[in-house]
């Protein structure tokens, strides 16, 4: 935000120097990036009038003039500016004047004609880079007056960095509020009277996107003079705010933008058909912007349209067809509140960045539309004339931001600031910031002003109190910090332990972005809802990841393209799942993911060249899950996941809850991602495995164990893990171990069946088991298998 100091002092004029003012702005959170003089250093330049202008007798491009500077004698001055003419009010450097760059004006002869001074351009006075002609001043400019005084050139331009939460400071009024609060002096009140209507003309307004455009105001103004001369004071304020003068209507809307921080737009009324419709664009709907660019809009872009065409991209830029031109006499003036999320990122999407989008993306005061409308109307009538129609308003009150009511506790302020500020001073500060405040029993009930919608929680108010009180006024004291060792349950598995285990097994840790390419994510997770960033770094990083696989597979491709074929990578981090039940509509889960590809072993003369397979990855996962100490409760079942090979993938269950997936990447996906070898991936929800079964000391049985083997025939589709689990449940405490030691398929076994050989280890802690006990336990296991899986005992 760029502005002139003199303009700010029109609103609030503390008795401090420019340097102190800049320091106050910075300490109030509006960091001053640059302070620049409005003009160069010069003296001896006054206002003059060209009373005679003739062609130079010896030079085609020079003119001989006589200039009146309010003294008894006229000055003879030779001028080469193309706009020099009789009757023009000019900036005249007299003999003895010193211009920027220590250029001294002396009497001289130019091509034989005497010259007693110089008529100056803006560039020659160090004001702007415009050197196309000499300065043209208003006809009522006082002769002989110092140009520095007349144009208020003893001024500076201040450029501040406005943080995203302080959108209210994108106007002079917002900055003045902060200076008023810091210095505890009143600022100029915003008193803008309603402009009386002289015509009854209106235009219908239809809002089809009330959430994106909760409030829209419009007004018809007819018979304006678009070519009216803009006052010099307005041109100068715009220039010192970094905005060039265009025409009367545009300059006035830009002036309101800088003054109040509220963007406005004017349409040529005769180009609007039937009425205004605020809606989302149709997919690939075309329009030509004010800058001449032709764009294709998407269906997420909010537009202002009539009944036949798009007039503007809402809050960003108008269209060429409805723009105000030199022939415009009737306009439709717009003043609207657009929801920040409806505008955020859209300008960048179309390669644009405008003053309006910069403000709307951060949010404008939802109560400012009426004030801005009346202010702009009054300026238009004063400068351009015209007949004013009534304000047309369409407001969806329920969709407008509401003023937050916040409880602020005394102990909260003292604890965060570390210093006790008097209660009355805190109340005064909040009131000076525009809040409505009630104080009782060390609790402030604070209602934020409409322009400070960033004040939402207690900590926001604490920051405001400290900011306005002054960080420099808070004394330095030594902090008292007591370190207390927090107890850590033995059952928690540290993330470092899991990482160390993976590193020991040959993995390397990777760190990838949480923002991923939507194309790659769609390949891995088709038809799943995603969270799209409103203002992405690039199109390849425009959505939040649904899993960590997107980044890891991109890392694999990067390494394979650099001749690294054997890879083992893992990563821990958050994934982001759209979920309306969660805060902000997103569920964040902390995940452990990994990928392996290439040979099982490093190149070695004694080791076989074997590619990694499903069971290699399964072994790594079993090693991680063994840290839980509850191996029997972990099951690997067949998975149906679009990203994985349907015959070589599994879901990991713990206590009947899904905790992750692993398997071979689907061949079609490998092809689409240009991976050049079989790739295996896994992903586990770390929150589901952050505990372990704590070992408990117990007596060892001094009685002998007994081993019995059984062979059963079951369907191929039944996992061996389920067989073992059923045996353990049926055998009870005396069955201390179950082990699968052989799998057979072949002769005498049907094609859709398999033979499993299982050893049962039986032992009791209090006695030696009798044969009858052993037979009874084995029978229970066999019966349970028969009932559950229709297993046949193989003879």
């Amino acid at each position: 935000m760029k502005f002139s100091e003199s303009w700010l002092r029109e609103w609030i004029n503390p008795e401090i120097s420019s340097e102190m003012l800049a320091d106050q702005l910075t300490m109030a959170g509006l960091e001053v990036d640059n302070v620049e003089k409005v003009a160069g250093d010069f003296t001896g330049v006054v206002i003059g009038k060209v009373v005679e202008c003739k062609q130079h007798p010896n030079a085609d491009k020079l003119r001989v003039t006589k200039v009146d500077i309010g003294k008894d004698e006229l000055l003879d001055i030779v001028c080469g500016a193309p706009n020099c003419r009789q009757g023009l009010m000019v900036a005249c450097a007299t003999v003895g004047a010193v211009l920027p760059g220590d250029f001294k004006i002396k009497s001289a002869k130019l091509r034989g004609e005497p010259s007693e001074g110089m008529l100056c351009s803006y560039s020659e006075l160090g004001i702007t880079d415009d050197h196309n002609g000499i300065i043209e001043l208003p006809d009522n400019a006082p002769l002989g007056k110092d140009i520095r005084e007349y144009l208020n050139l003893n001024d500076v331009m201040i450029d501040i960095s406005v943080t995203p939460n302080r959108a209210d400071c994108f106007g002079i009024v917002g900055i003045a509020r902060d200076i008023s609060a810091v210095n505890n002096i009143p600022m100029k009140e915003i008193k803008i009277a309603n402009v009386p209507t002289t015509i009854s003309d209106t235009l219908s307004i239809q809002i089809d996107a009330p959430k994106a455009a909760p409030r829209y105001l419009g007004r018809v103004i007819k018979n304006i003079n678009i070519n009216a001369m803009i006052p010099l004071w307005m041109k100068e304020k715009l220039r010192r705010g970094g905005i060039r003068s265009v025409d009367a209507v545009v300059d006035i809307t830009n002036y309101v933008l800088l003054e109040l921080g509220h963007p406005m737009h004017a349409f040529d009324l005769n180009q609007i058909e039937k009425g205004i419709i605020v809606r989302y664009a149709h997919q690939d709907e075309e329009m030509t912007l004010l800058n001449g660019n032709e764009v294709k809009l998407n269906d997420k872009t909010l537009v202002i349209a009539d009944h036949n065409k798009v007039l503007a991209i809402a809050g960003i830029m108008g269209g060429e067809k409805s723009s105000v031109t030199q022939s415009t006499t009737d306009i439709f003036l717009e003043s609207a509140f657009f929801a920040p999320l409806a505008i955020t990122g859209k300008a960048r999407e179309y390669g644009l960045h405008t003053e309006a989008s910069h403000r709307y993306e951060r949010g404008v005061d939802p109560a400012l539309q009426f004030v801005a409308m009346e202010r702009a109307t009054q300026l238009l009538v004063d400068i351009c004339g015209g007949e004013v129609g009534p304000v047309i308003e369409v407001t969806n009150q329920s969709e407008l931001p509401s003023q937050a009511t916040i409880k602020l506790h005394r102990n909260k302020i003292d604890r965060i600031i570390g210093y006790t500020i008097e209660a009355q001073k805190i109340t005064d500060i909040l009131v000076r910031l525009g809040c409505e405040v009630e104080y009782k029993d060390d609790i402030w009930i604070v209602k934020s002003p409409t322009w400070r919608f960033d004040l939402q929680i207690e900590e926001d108010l604490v920051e405001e109190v400290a900011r306005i009180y002054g960080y420099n006024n808070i004394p330095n004291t030594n902090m008292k910090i007591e370190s207390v060792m927090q107890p850590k349950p033995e059952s928690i598995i540290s993330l470092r332990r899991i990482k160390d285990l993976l590193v020991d097994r040959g993995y390397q840790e990777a760190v990838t972005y949480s923002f991923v390419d939507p194309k790659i994510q769609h390949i891995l997770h088709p038809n799943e809802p995603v969270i799209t960033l409103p203002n992405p770094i690039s199109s390849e990083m425009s959505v939040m990841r649904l899993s960590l696989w997107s980044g890891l597979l991109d890392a694999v491709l990067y390494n394979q393209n650099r001749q690294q074929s054997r890879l083992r990578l893992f990563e821990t981090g958050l994934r982001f799942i759209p979920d309306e039940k969660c805060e902000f509509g997103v569920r964040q889960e902390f995940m452990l993911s990994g990928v392996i590809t290439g040979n099982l072993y490093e190149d070695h003369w004694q080791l076989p060249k074997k590619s990694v397979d499903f069971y290699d990855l399964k072994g790594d996962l079993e090693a991680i899950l063994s840290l839980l100490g509850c191996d029997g409760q972990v099951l690997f079942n067949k998975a149906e996941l679009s990203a994985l090979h349907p015959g070589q993938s599994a879901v990991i269950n713990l206590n009947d809850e899904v905790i992750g997936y692993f398997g071979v990447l689907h061949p079609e996906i490998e092809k689409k991602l240009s991976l050049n070898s079989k790739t295996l991936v896994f992903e586990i929800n770390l929150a589901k495995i952050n505990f372990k079964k704590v070992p408990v000391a117990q007596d060892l049985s001094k009685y002998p164990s007994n081993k019995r083997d059984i062979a059963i025939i079951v369907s191929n589709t039944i996992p061996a893990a389920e067989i073992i689990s059923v045996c353990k449940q049926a055998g009870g405490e005396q069955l201390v171990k179950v082990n699968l030691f052989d799998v057979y398929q072949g002769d005498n076994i049907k094609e859709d069946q398999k033979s499993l050989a299982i050893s049962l280890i039986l032992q009791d802690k209090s006695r030696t088991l009798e044969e009858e006990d052993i037979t009874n336990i084995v029978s229970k296991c066999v019966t349970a298998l028969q009932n559950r899986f229709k297993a046949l005992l193989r003879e």
Side-chain angles (χ1 to χ4, degrees):
M1 173 68 184
K2 193 174 183 180
F3 59 93
S4 70
E5 180 185 350
S6 62
W7 194 7
L8 177 61
R9 288 186 182 272
E10 289 178 16
W11 285 88
I12 180 79
N13 190 16
E15 295 181 0
I16 54 176
S17 65
S18 299
E19 292 75 14
M20 181 61 73
L21 178 64
D23 184 65
Q24 280 191 357
L25 287 167
T26 296
M27 294 307 296
L30 304 173
E31 183 178 359
V32 174
D33 290 334
N34 188 33
V35 177
E36 182 183 354
K37 290 182 178 180
V38 165
D41 294 326
F42 64 87
T43 59
V45 181
V46 298
I47 297 173
K49 183 177 181 179
V50 179
V51 295
E52 186 179 311
C53 183
K54 296 181 180 180
Q55 181 66 43
H56 195 292
N58 302 319
D60 293 338
K61 294 184 179 181
L62 297 179
R63 291 175 177 83
V64 178
T65 69
K66 289 188 179 293
V67 179
D68 181 5
I69 61 171
K71 294 186 177 182
D72 295 338
E73 296 183 2
L74 300 180
L75 300 180
D76 293 317
I77 298 177
V78 176
C79 178
N83 64 327
C84 182
R85 60 190 182 273
Q86 185 176 348
L88 185 65
M89 302 298 292
V90 295
C92 177
T94 58
V95 173
V98 179
L99 301 188
D102 200 27
F103 180 70
K104 297 178 181 179
I105 302 299
K106 301 177 182 178
S107 296
K109 282 192 175 183
L110 296 177
R111 296 286 183 94
E113 293 293 328
S115 184
E116 300 172 303
M118 185 174 80
L119 304 186
C120 303
S121 67
Y122 281 109
S123 63
E124 288 164 336
L125 299 184
I127 298 176
T128 69
D129 294 332
D130 183 8
H131 54 269
N132 293 325
I134 56 177
I135 299 172
E136 297 187 20
L137 298 174
D139 293 340
N140 61 354
L143 285 177
K145 188 167 186 176
D146 192 307
I147 196 73
R148 294 194 74 91
E149 183 181 348
Y150 178 70
L151 294 180
N152 190 21
L153 297 180
N154 297 315
D155 189 13
V156 295
M157 294 178 288
I158 302 174
D159 196 356
I160 62 172
S161 178
V162 181
T163 54
N165 67 311
R166 291 305 309 276
D168 60 302
C169 289
F170 278 112
I172 288 290
V173 172
I175 301 167
R177 287 193 187 106
D178 266 19
I179 295 300
S180 173
V182 169
N183 291 282
N184 195 16
I185 57 176
M187 61 174 276
K188 175 183 174 183
E189 293 185 20
I190 304 176
K191 289 184 178 180
I192 299 173
N194 292 342
V195 179
T197 58
T198 55
I199 57 174
S200 59
D201 295 54
T202 61
L203 198 65
S204 67
I205 297 174
Q206 176 183 329
I207 308 295
D208 291 346
K211 287 189 176 181
R215 173 171 284 158
Y216 191 92
L217 273 61
R219 168 175 267 169
V220 172
I221 304 176
K222 287 189 169 182
N223 298 320
I224 65 169
N225 178 14
I226 188 70
N227 297 311
M229 181 70 69
I230 290 294
L232 186 61
W233 60 264
M234 183 178 286
K235 279 188 178 181
E236 277 298 293
K237 286 179 178 178
L238 290 175
R239 182 183 69 78
R240 297 175 196 189
I243 296 179
R244 67 180 181 87
S245 178
V246 179
D247 60 48
V249 173
V250 173
D251 286 0
I252 288 167
T253 56
N254 281 336
Y255 179 83
V256 174
L257 176 137
L258 289 180
E259 182 181 55
L260 303 180
H262 193 288
M264 300 186 72
H265 188 70
F267 300 96
D268 188 323
L269 181 65
N270 297 319
Q271 299 300 321
I272 301 175
E273 301 179 57
K274 297 182 180 179
I276 292 289
I277 302 175
V278 183
R279 60 172 172 84
Y280 281 104
H282 308 307
Q283 187 65 36
D284 295 330
E285 193 170 7
E286 296 182 355
M287 74 170 294
T288 303
L289 298 171
L290 276 173
N291 60 8
N293 292 347
E294 294 184 4
V295 294
K296 282 188 176 181
L297 306 172
N298 60 50
D299 57 8
K300 294 181 180 179
T301 301
L302 188 69
V303 298
I304 311 300
D306 61 19
H307 287 255
N308 290 313
K309 61 183 178 296
V310 176
L311 303 175
I313 302 178
I316 298 175
M317 184 177 284
E320 188 177 65
K321 290 183 179 178
S322 62
S323 64
V324 174
T325 65
Q326 295 300 312
S327 60
T328 298
T329 58
D330 305 331
I331 64 170
F332 178 75
L333 190 61
E334 166 196 279
S335 179
F337 176 83
F338 300 119
L341 288 179
I343 308 299
T344 301
K346 296 299 182 295
R348 179 176 292 186
E349 195 171 327
Y350 296 105
L352 303 170
H353 179 78
T354 64
E355 293 288 343
S357 68
H358 197 63
R359 286 160 174 79
Y360 273 125
E361 285 179 344
R362 288 152 180 79
V364 299
D365 182 354
L368 194 58
Q369 289 72 53
F370 298 93
V371 177
M373 175 64 77
E374 295 298 342
R375 178 60 166 155
T377 303
Q378 186 63 64
L379 289 169
L380 276 166
V381 172
D382 292 345
I383 296 170
C384 305
E387 299 170 291
V388 179
V391 174
I392 315 150
E393 176 196 358
V394 178
T395 297
N396 190 325
Q397 195 67 41
S398 62
E399 299 296 341
L400 285 171
S402 58
Q403 293 172 256
T405 300
I406 312 163
K407 277 188 177 181
L408 177 61
H409 297 81
R410 168 91 260 179
N411 58 0
K412 186 84 166 184
I413 300 178
D414 294 346
R415 181 169 58 83
I416 294 179
I417 297 180
Y419 175 69
T420 301
I421 302 173
E422 294 176 20
Q424 187 57 48
K425 284 189 177 180
I426 293 174
T427 302
D428 290 344
I429 287 171
L430 295 173
V431 169
R432 280 163 18 214
L433 288 168
C435 300
E436 298 175 24
V437 184
E438 293 181 13
Y439 175 67
K440 185 178 180 180
D441 298 332
D442 284 344
I443 296 177
W444 288 266
I445 306 297
V446 182
K447 187 176 183 180
S448 63
T450 57
W451 60 84
R452 289 301 302 274
F453 41 82
D454 60 307
L455 302 180
Q456 295 292 327
I457 59 176
E458 196 171 7
E459 286 76 6
D460 293 335
L461 295 179
V462 175
E463 179 186 3
E464 291 301 298
V465 170
R467 184 173 69 86
I468 301 302
Y469 184 78
Y471 298 115
N472 291 337
N473 296 325
I474 299 173
N476 296 325
T477 57
N478 294 326
M479 297 180 64
K480 294 181 180 180
I481 301 176
E482 296 180 359
S483 298
V484 179
M485 295 294 291
Q486 296 295 326
K488 183 178 180 181
E490 191 179 351
S491 60
I492 293 179
I493 301 175
S494 72
L495 181 59
R496 181 61 180 267
R497 176 70 182 90
I498 296 173
K499 289 183 177 182
D500 286 345
L501 188 148
L502 285 168
V503 170
D504 290 343
R505 297 182 75 87
Y507 286 77
Q508 295 185 59
E509 185 173 9
V511 179
T512 66
Y513 286 107
S514 297
F515 317 135
V516 297
D517 190 332
K519 296 177 182 177
I520 295 177
Q521 182 147 277
H522 180 72
I523 292 172
L524 294 170
H525 309 283
N527 305 320
E528 290 191 29
V530 298
I531 299 171
T532 303
L533 297 174
N535 194 13
I537 299 172
S538 67
S539 58
E540 290 78 21
M541 301 175 72
S542 59
V543 297
M544 303 298 289
R545 61 188 180 192
L546 293 171
S547 77
L548 278 61
W549 289 345
S550 301
L552 288 172
L553 291 173
D554 188 52
V556 169
L557 179 62
Y558 181 90
N559 280 274
Q560 286 182 345
N561 290 339
R562 287 155 181 78
Q563 301 179 356
Q564 301 298 315
S565 57
R566 183 180 183 274
L567 298 166
R568 277 170 166 73
L569 301 174
F570 78 90
E571 181 178 10
T572 58
L574 291 172
R575 68 174 180 179
F576 306 87
I577 312 296
D579 189 343
E580 293 300 327
K581 296 178 182 178
C582 299
E583 188 178 8
F584 306 119
V586 58
R587 184 175 76 253
Q588 301 183 54
E589 297 178 339
F590 196 53
M591 308 297 291
L592 167 66
S593 295
V595 57
I596 62 173
T597 187
N599 290 333
L600 177 60
Y601 305 110
E602 294 277 8
D603 290 343
H604 192 276
W605 64 273
Q606 199 174 18
L607 298 175
K609 289 191 176 182
K610 173 191 172 186
S611 296
V612 291
D613 59 24
F614 176 86
Y615 294 102
D616 295 320
L617 184 59
K618 183 172 181 283
D620 293 335
L621 293 175
E622 286 176 332
I624 295 172
L625 296 170
S626 68
L627 298 174
L628 301 177
C630 49
D631 300 339
Q633 297 169 312
V634 177
L635 295 176
F636 298 95
N637 297 319
K638 183 179 178 181
E640 295 292 339
L641 206 63
S642 59
L644 302 179
H645 194 296
Q648 299 183 55
S649 58
V651 57
I652 309 170
N653 290 283
L654 176 61
N655 297 326
D656 297 325
E657 185 179 12
V658 174
I659 65 169
Y661 293 89
F662 74 98
V664 179
L665 199 63
H666 198 288
E668 287 296 323
I669 293 179
E670 287 181 352
K671 184 177 179 181
K672 289 178 181 178
L673 298 182
S674 303
L675 301 173
N676 57 27
S677 63
K678 184 168 71 172
T679 306
L680 297 95
V681 293
F682 73 85
E683 189 159 64
I684 298 174
N685 189 330
L686 278 170
K688 307 295 184 183
I689 62 168
N690 67 347
F691 67 94
K692 64 182 176 181
K693 184 177 180 181
V694 179
V696 178
Q698 52 185 316
D699 294 335
L700 295 174
S701 176
K702 60 183 178 181
Y703 299 98
S705 61
N706 296 273
K707 180 182 178 184
R708 294 292 185 270
D709 296 338
I710 59 173
I712 58 171
I713 298 174
V714 294
S715 171
N716 272 337
T717 61
I718 298 173
E722 293 187 18
I723 301 286
I724 294 173
S725 177
V726 168
C727 287
K728 288 181 177 180
Q729 293 175 10
E733 292 184 0
Q734 292 175 328
L735 181 60
V736 296
K737 190 173 183 182
V738 181
N739 184 46
L740 173 69
F741 65 87
D742 186 51
V743 179
Y744 173 74
Q745 289 177 288
D747 296 341
N748 302 323
I749 302 294
K750 294 180 181 180
E751 289 186 2
D752 61 345
Q753 292 183 329
K754 59 186 175 183
S755 172
L756 304 179
I758 301 170
S759 65
L760 308 174
I761 309 297
L762 303 100
Q763 190 178 37
D764 194 283
K765 294 182 179 180
S766 60
R767 62 188 179 88
T768 300
L769 292 175
E770 302 290 339
E771 186 61 35
E772 182 180 352
D773 299 324
I774 296 171
T775 302
N776 185 37
I777 294 171
V778 173
S779 297
K780 285 180 180 180
C781 293
V782 172
T783 301
L785 294 172
Q786 289 173 342
N787 294 336
R788 175 78 178 274
F789 305 112
K790 297 180 180 180
L792 299 176
L793 194 63
R794 186 179 177 193
E795 307 203 0

